Amino acid sequence: RKEVEQDPGPFNVPEGATVAFNCTYSNSASQSFFWYRQDCRKEPKLLMSVYSSGNEDGRFTAQLNRASQYISLLIRDSKLSDSATYLCVENFGNEKLTFGTGTRLTIIP
Amino acid sequence: EAGVAQSPRYKIIEKRQSVAFWCNPISGHATLYWYQQILGQGPKLLIQFQNNGVVDDSQLPKDRFSAERLKGVDSTLKIQPAKLEDSAVYLCASSLREWGAKNIQYFGAGTRLSVL
C-alpha cells in the first residue's frame, strides 16, 4: 500500500465552483502534512500546511482527520489560475517528506 | 532572497552515458534533498543531506547513482551509466532544519533528463 494516496484526476471544474480533494495516508504516526502546488513543467511550491485544527487561507481550506487518516483541500470560488497539480505531502517527523502522485485540476472558463 | 539554483535545465543523453546535475541551495539551509519525478508521479526522494552528511539514501540506486555535498553547501548528483528509465525531472530542494510544520522545503526548477 502506498504511504500517501490521491485520486490523480483529472478534475475539470467550471470557474467559480467549489472543488475538494482528499488524500489518505497509511502511517498513523505521521506528524504533519502539507499541500504543495505544481504547475505544468514547474517545481512544486508550498500551498499550505495542514494543522490538526484545520486552517484556512483565503479561498483555500485544509483539514486533517487523524481518526480516518485523511487530509483534504477545499478550493472555493475557483479561478483559472488554480489550474495545477495538487500534491499531498506527509512528514513523518525526520525532515523527510513523502509525496502523493498528485491530483490534476483544470478550471474551465 | 535567491532560491534554489539548479543546472542544467535540460539534458539529453544516450543510454549508458554519464550525466551530472548541480544544485546550490538557499543560503543558510542545512538540509538538501534530491528528488526524482517521473512524468505523472509525485517527487520521490533519492537522497537527503544534513550539512555534508547523508541522512537518508535508502531509495538511491547506488549501483548507478551517486551524490555528494562536500562542503555542506552545493551538491552534485551523478548517474553512471544512465538507463532509459532514468528519464525524469531531477529536483533539488532545501530547508532549514526545523521539525514538523516548519519543515518547509523549497524546490529548484529541476533538470529535465531524457535518456535515448
Side-chain angles (χ1 to χ4, degrees), chain B residues 48-106:
Chain B
Q48 176 184 343
F49 291 96
Q50 185 70 33
N51 296 308
N52 60 350
V54 175
V55 173
D56 184 349
D57 64 356
S58 57
Q59 298 193 85
L60 187 74
K62 298 180 185 64
D63 58 333
R64 297 184 301 105
F65 286 64
S66 64
E68 59 184 15
R69 193 184 184 199
L70 293 176
K71 296 182 180 178
V73 181
D74 56 351
S75 174
T76 56
L77 175 70
K78 296 179 182 177
I79 307 175
Q80 181 179 9
K83 293 186 175 181
L84 297 176
E85 59 261 35
D86 297 333
S87 295
V89 177
Y90 291 85
L91 293 161
C92 179
S94 69
S95 70
L96 288 169
R97 191 182 181 186
E98 294 184 2
W99 293 93
K102 294 186 179 179
N103 180 22
I104 298 169
Q105 295 187 15
Y106 298 87

Side-chain angles (χ1 to χ4, degrees), chain A residues 2 5 10 12 15 21 32 47-48 72 74 76 83-85 92 102 105:
Chain A
K2 292 182 181 177
E5 293 202 50
N12 298 314
E15 191 176 7
F21 314 130
S32 57
L47 177 65
M48 57 198 307
S72 63
L74 181 79
R76 289 181 299 277
S83 296
T85 295
F92 186 57
L105 172 66

Side-chain angles (χ1 to χ4, degrees), chain A residues 41, chain B residues 6 8-15 17-21 36-39 46 64-65 77-91 109-116:
Chain A
R41 302 179 79 86
Chain B
Q6 287 190 249
R9 287 298 311 277
Y10 306 92
K11 192 73 178 178
I12 301 173
I13 61 172
E14 295 186 351
K15 60 183 179 183
Q17 286 188 322
S18 302
V19 64
F21 314 126
Q36 179 193 61
Q37 186 172 23
I38 292 172
L39 187 65
L46 292 175
R64 297 184 301 105
F65 286 64
L77 175 70
K78 296 179 182 177
I79 307 175
Q80 181 179 9
K83 293 186 175 181
L84 297 176
E85 59 261 35
D86 297 333
S87 295
V89 177
Y90 291 85
L91 293 161
T111 296
R112 189 173 298 272
L113 174 68
S114 295
V115 182
L116 307 179

